[in-house]
Structures are given as C-alpha cells and as structure tokens.
Amino acid sequence: MAKKQGAALNKYAAILIFTLISIFPIIVYPEFYLGRQNDLNNFFSPLIIYVKNALINYHQLPLWNMGIFSGTPLVTDPQAPIFYLPNILHLILPSKSAFLFLAFFHLYLGALGIYFYLNKNLKLNSHSSYLGTAIYLFSPRLAAYFEAGHVGLIYSWAYLPWVLLFLGKIVNKKKFANTLGLSISMAALFFTHTPTFYLVALIFPILYLMLLKNPGHFRKSISKILAGVIITFGLIAVSFLPQLAWQGTTTRQFLLQKPEIFPVWHSKWEFIQAAINPFFVGLNAVWDLDTEKYISLGMFSLALASVGLWNLKKKLTISALLAAVIIGLIALGNASPIYPLLLKSKFFVLLRVMTRVWFIPVIAVSVLAPQGFAVLYKKKPRLASAVAVLVVAESLLLFWGRMVKPIRIDPGKAPDAVYAYLHESAKNERVFCTTKCLNYDKAAFYQLELIEGYGTLAQKNYYQRAKVTMGTFWHNKYDLSIPPSWITYSEKLDPQAIYLAQYSVGYVVSPHPLSDENLLLVQEIGNFKIYKNILNKPRAYFAGDGSPLNSVYLSPNKLIYQTDGSKAGKLILSEVFSPGWHAKIDGKQAKISETEIAQRSLDVPKDSKIIEIYYLPRELVWGLAITAFTIIFTASYAIYKKIKH
C-alpha cells in the first residue's frame, strides 16, 4: 500500500515539475503573459476588475457591464467570468497573481487528465504516459494562446483530456461517477471557451464510436451518455439560455452577411509547413507567424505519432486518417478545396477562426505519439529514447520560443495621469478617446465608463449608432472593437459635442485637436488633450425640456430615480437599449422602449415618485432554476448511489 501511495505521489510530483517547466518563462518574467496588451489586458482583465469592483461597491454580481460600449450585457456574453467558479480566486488574490496561478492550475489539471487517460484508459506505462503529457503541455498551439492572452482557451486546455478520459470510461463501465465526471468536464469547457465546447459536442458521436471497444456495451453506455448530455445542459443552462437569446442581436451576425475566415493562408504549402514546424516557414516564424497560424505539431512528435497510428487496429487507423483529412480541410480555411462549403455553413462562418479545431490534432498526437514510442521501445529502445528526447526538446523550443516573443509597447497609450484626472472629474459621465488611447484594464481599475470597447460580441443597435456618436462612418462589418480597428488606423476622429451628449459623454481625450467649440479644452497631459463637453446631458432626463431626474441609486443591475411628480412625458435614459431591462414606476410595471438612437425610454405619468429600472433577462431566471434543480438532483442522486453501494 505504501509503495502504491509513493508511486502515485511521484506521478503527481513529476507532472507538477512538467507544468512548472512549461511556464518557466512566465515564472521568470510574468509580463510575457500579463503585459502584452492583448486579449488578457483588453478583455479578460477589465471584466475581472469590473466584477470585483461591483461585488465590493454594490454587493451584487453584475449582470450588466457599464464599463464599455456605453453599457453592454455581461451575463449573456459567452466569455463572461461570472459563472466560472475558479475565478473566485480573483477575490482573494490581486488579479495578476490570480491570472498566473489559474494558468498554472489549468495546465496542471490538463496534464493530469492526459496522463491518466494514457496510463489508465490506454494502459500505457508511465514513461510513455509522461511523453504524451509533455507533448500536450508543451504544445506550440498552447503557447500561442499565452502570447495572445486567450485566457478562455488556456483554461479550456485543462478539460479536454478529462472529457476524453470519462467518455472512454463510460463506453466500457457503467458507473454514475463517470457520467458525472463527463458532465462536469463538458460544463467546464462551456464556461471557459464556448466555441470549443460546441466543437467537442459536434465530434462527440465520432469520439464515442471510436472509443467503443465492445459493441455489446452500446445500449448500456448510450443511456449514460444521454444522462450526461442532460446533466451538462442543466449545469450550463444559467449561462446558455441567456446567450442563446442574445446572439441574434449581436455584431457576430454581420459575419453571415460578410463572412471572414481566419487565418488567411498564402498557400496549402504554408499550412503544411506551419503544421509540422514553423522553422519550415521561415527562420523568424516562431515570432512572426500570426497567432492563429502557430499550429505546429512537431516534426518528431508527428514521426512517433505515425508509428502509433500504423499500429492501431485497421478500423481505428482508417477513422483517424479520415478525421485528420477533415480537420485539415477545415483548418486550411481560405486555401481549402471545401472553402465554398465552409462559407455556406452558418456554424463555421460564426466560428470565424478555422484553426480553433486544432486542439483535435494536438490531442491525437499526444495520444498516438506515446503509443508509437511504446512500440518502438520494444524493438529499439535506444532509438526510441533518442526520439523521445528530440520530441520534448523540439516541443519545448517551440513553446518557449513563442512565449518569449518580444513585447510590443504601444506608444499611443495615455499616461496614468490621464486616468487619474478622468477618475476625479468624470462623475457619472462617460469618457471617449478618439484614438483608443485608453487601456481597458486601466480604465476598469479607475472605474471609468467608456463609449468605446473591445469584445467578441457587441450589440448591433449600438454598433450602428456609435458611428454617429463618434463622428465617423463605417459599414456593418464584424470587428472586435468599437470603433472598428480600421477606422482609428485610417482617420483622425473629430466627434461633435451634441451627439456625444446623447450618451452622456462628458470628457473626450485626443492626441490631436478637436474642432467643435462646445468641446472645451480643460487639460493637457503629455501629448494628450482632455476636452470637457459643455453640452453634456444627464443620464436620465425628460424629452422636450431636458429636465434631469435625481438619481437615488445607480448600480450595474439597477437604477433608481426620483421625481417630484410635477412632470409627465417620455423619460430618456442615456443607456443602451437591450432586452432584459425592466421598469417599475411606483411599484407598477412599465414598458421600456427603444429610441431611434438605441437608447431606453419609458412613459412616466404625472404624480410619479420612484422610477426603478433593473436588468434581469427572463432567460437567466429560467436558466438559474434549471441549473439549481440539476445541481440539487444530481448531488442527491450521487449521495444515494454512494450510500446504496
């Protein structure tokens, strides 16, 4: 018993060392992960800071994000952090420390998952299993996620092997624990990276049939699979249902009108070279290749995987080769013979980045290469050991090489003094920078409310109105930011005070002069000019005379205003209209309408006193009820099974 426990501890320790080795550059210099002004700084970190501030200042879990896009739904965003439990660590540690620890935790969890799958499910020895673990941990694709700040994709790396492990157990054993493990792993995938969840769900039947060793187990295992699907739906319903309701109102739908497939390959040959080793593309390709093109599987890893593939049963070999061809044709994107078909598929058009499917080849190589090593080791142990060393060396070189890519500093960003000035001056007023000069994580830290922003989804109504507010024009084309990146690169924005005032923009920051005399220059800090909008309107006012309402309480989820009862008419709220907002006037339900400039409005009768506006999508209520019931029922059933056996 003691020997078994010692061996188990040695395995955990070895995998821990592997994980620490993988992120060694980040341990030495955390800015390789935290300081690149990428998705981590522009999207994930601002959201975490915003949620943390809301919990501290308002004692509520924010469902609405007031920080960007003049306000935007948070609970409906697929990458929102509010329902993913490990993010609680951000409430305990400083955000940067939490991001570092969570990255390590998810890599370690993923490494354990792939090791156990190889060692327990496939019955490979520890050396072969360690090799597969190293290939998975040191994947260049994962390094690209770190470099790009794709936090959700990094976290999702933890759960892919566990889905494989539990699915493999279900097809051969009928324990409820395996069904529950599969459901939790799939739910975790959903909360970390929703597109990866959908892709796994799409290939689920194929995986099931490939892992089914005994056709006689089909009937018994299929019921467990269906139970897992139901439990998974129940666990994710709290987020899935609001997302589903909101998707049709977002800018992602523009892709259906003007599809854009990334990455753009110059040729099939470039794709093949990148898939094997980036040095085949060019000597500087480790740094120069686009993030979505950094898909190397490793020359030596592929060689071992080929040996493993050759030694599979004929049925599995054919299935694996067929799957490889399909994945390759999808990842080829614009260079693929089936590109016209991809453009006709709503799923792939909305997926947008075709190399999102590349986790499948990574896992395949991580599984096949150690099997190839085991076969080769029996015949030629020295050769097998030498190849294994080359596999690890190549993987680590490509992993570390991408991770230490030089950090580019954007000289066009405003200094801290600008944020401090706006924090003190912009009270209940929004802020706009004409060149996107404000870092979104710093803006969130200083609790600024911006009319610009960055995210995978934005509301169509605001996207279309923002062009007027910001004093420019753009076509309805999908982009990750408002204003779109091509606008700020190609022109100097010169917004008008009257349109900014409609969304309560009190201050404008610009490195170049602005022409509107109603934008009063009040401060210059370095190369940046700060203008005060003297036409600015309050956050709530009556149409016509523009008389403001007194705010009693303003929070992400609820706004309360007070009137003296002397006025009646249409109340305008300088907040973006979105389904899910409700209103009560003196305790009675009132209808919120959308104005022609995408704001909220409601009719206020005379003698009204208290106006309460709150955000609570009905899909969230239904989803919360389903998720709560699922957790209670599943936990009760698990306890019952435990007591019974």
Side-chain angles (χ1 to χ4, degrees), residues 292-319:
E292 306 304 344
K293 289 185 177 182
Y294 201 69
I295 59 172
S296 172
L297 296 170
M299 180 170 57
F300 297 106
S301 297
L302 283 169
L304 272 185
S306 299
V307 176
L309 180 64
W310 183 259
N311 284 274
L312 290 179
K313 292 180 180 179
K314 188 176 180 180
K315 171 189 167 185
L316 285 176
T317 302
I318 294 171
S319 300

Side-chain angles (χ1 to χ4, degrees), residues 95-169:
S95 280
K96 286 192 172 184
S97 299
F99 274 120
L100 287 171
F101 182 83
L102 286 172
F104 161 77
F105 166 77
H106 285 88
L107 261 62
Y108 184 56
L109 187 60
L112 288 173
I114 197 73
Y115 178 87
F116 288 140
Y117 176 74
L118 296 170
N119 189 242
K120 304 297 184 183
N121 285 36
L122 298 187
K123 307 300 181 184
L124 295 178
N125 62 34
S126 58
H127 293 95
S128 300
S129 300
Y130 285 140
L131 179 62
T133 302
I135 292 171
Y136 187 69
L137 258 184
F138 305 156
S139 168
R141 191 78 196 107
L142 179 59
Y145 295 156
F146 272 98
E147 175 256 328
H150 290 164
V151 175
L153 282 162
I154 295 169
Y155 293 178
S156 71
W157 211 254
Y159 301 107
L160 292 167
W162 292 97
V163 171
L164 197 61
L165 185 145
F166 286 118
L167 183 59
K169 286 183 176 293

Side-chain angles (χ1 to χ4, degrees), residues 199 327 330-331 348 351 353-361:
L199 285 167
I327 295 300
I330 293 170
F348 285 110
L351 181 64
V353 180
M354 294 300 101
T355 47
R356 286 286 182 264
V357 302
W358 207 248
F359 69 88
I360 302 171

Side-chain angles (χ1 to χ4, degrees), residues 179-195:
T179 301
L180 187 57
L182 177 64
S183 300
I184 292 172
S185 301
M186 286 295 291
L189 262 185
F190 178 86
F191 287 118
T192 52
H193 194 250
T194 307

Side-chain angles (χ1 to χ4, degrees), residues 412-421 437-438 442 446 509 525-528:
K413 294 298 182 182
D416 288 350
V418 170
Y419 300 92
Y421 179 86
C437 65
L438 300 174
K442 285 188 179 181
Y446 282 94
V509 183
I525 300 174
N527 297 325
F528 295 90

Side-chain angles (χ1 to χ4, degrees), residues 140-356:
R141 191 78 196 107
L142 179 59
Y145 295 156
F146 272 98
E147 175 256 328
H150 290 164
V151 175
L153 282 162
I154 295 169
Y155 293 178
S156 71
W157 211 254
Y159 301 107
L160 292 167
W162 292 97
V163 171
L164 197 61
L165 185 145
F166 286 118
L167 183 59
K169 286 183 176 293
I170 286 174
V171 297
N172 297 300
K173 297 180 181 180
K174 54 181 183 178
K175 288 184 178 179
F176 177 71
N178 295 325
T179 301
L180 187 57
L182 177 64
S183 300
I184 292 172
S185 301
M186 286 295 291
L189 262 185
F190 178 86
F191 287 118
T192 52
H193 194 250
T194 307
T196 300
F197 168 85
Y198 289 135
L199 285 167
V200 172
L202 193 65
I203 65 171
F204 209 86
I206 301 169
L207 273 176
Y208 171 71
L209 292 173
M210 289 180 71
L211 293 172
L212 187 64
K213 296 177 182 178
N214 186 349
H217 291 161
F218 178 80
R219 287 187 179 180
K220 292 180 180 179
S221 61
I222 199 68
S223 62
K224 300 297 180 184
I225 296 292
L226 291 174
V229 170
I230 294 169
I231 295 171
T232 300
F233 170 75
L235 292 175
I236 68 174
V238 64
S239 181
F240 175 71
L241 294 183
Q243 283 182 34
L244 202 61
W246 189 55
Q247 289 295 310
T249 67
T250 69
T251 51
R252 200 78 174 185
Q253 300 302 308
F254 291 148
L255 288 171
L256 298 176
Q257 302 166 17
K258 297 178 181 178
E260 292 181 327
I261 299 295
F262 290 96
V264 177
W265 297 101
H266 299 302
S267 66
K268 296 180 181 66
W269 182 234
E270 183 195 22
F271 167 78
I272 293 169
Q273 289 175 312
I276 298 172
N277 189 304
F279 285 112
F280 290 142
V281 179
L283 292 177
N284 297 321
V286 172
W287 287 353
D288 294 345
L289 264 182
D290 180 85
T291 297
E292 306 304 344
K293 289 185 177 182
Y294 201 69
I295 59 172
S296 172
L297 296 170
M299 180 170 57
F300 297 106
S301 297
L302 283 169
L304 272 185
S306 299
V307 176
L309 180 64
W310 183 259
N311 284 274
L312 290 179
K313 292 180 180 179
K314 188 176 180 180
K315 171 189 167 185
L316 285 176
T317 302
I318 294 171
S319 300
L321 287 172
L322 182 61
V325 170
I326 294 171
I327 295 300
L329 289 173
I330 293 170
L332 257 172
N334 66 295
S336 174
I338 64 167
Y339 183 55
L341 291 177
L342 293 177
L343 292 180
K344 291 179 181 179
S345 166
K346 183 177 179 180
F347 176 83
F348 285 110
V349 168
L350 293 177
L351 181 64
R352 186 170 172 260
V353 180
M354 294 300 101
T355 47
R356 286 286 182 264

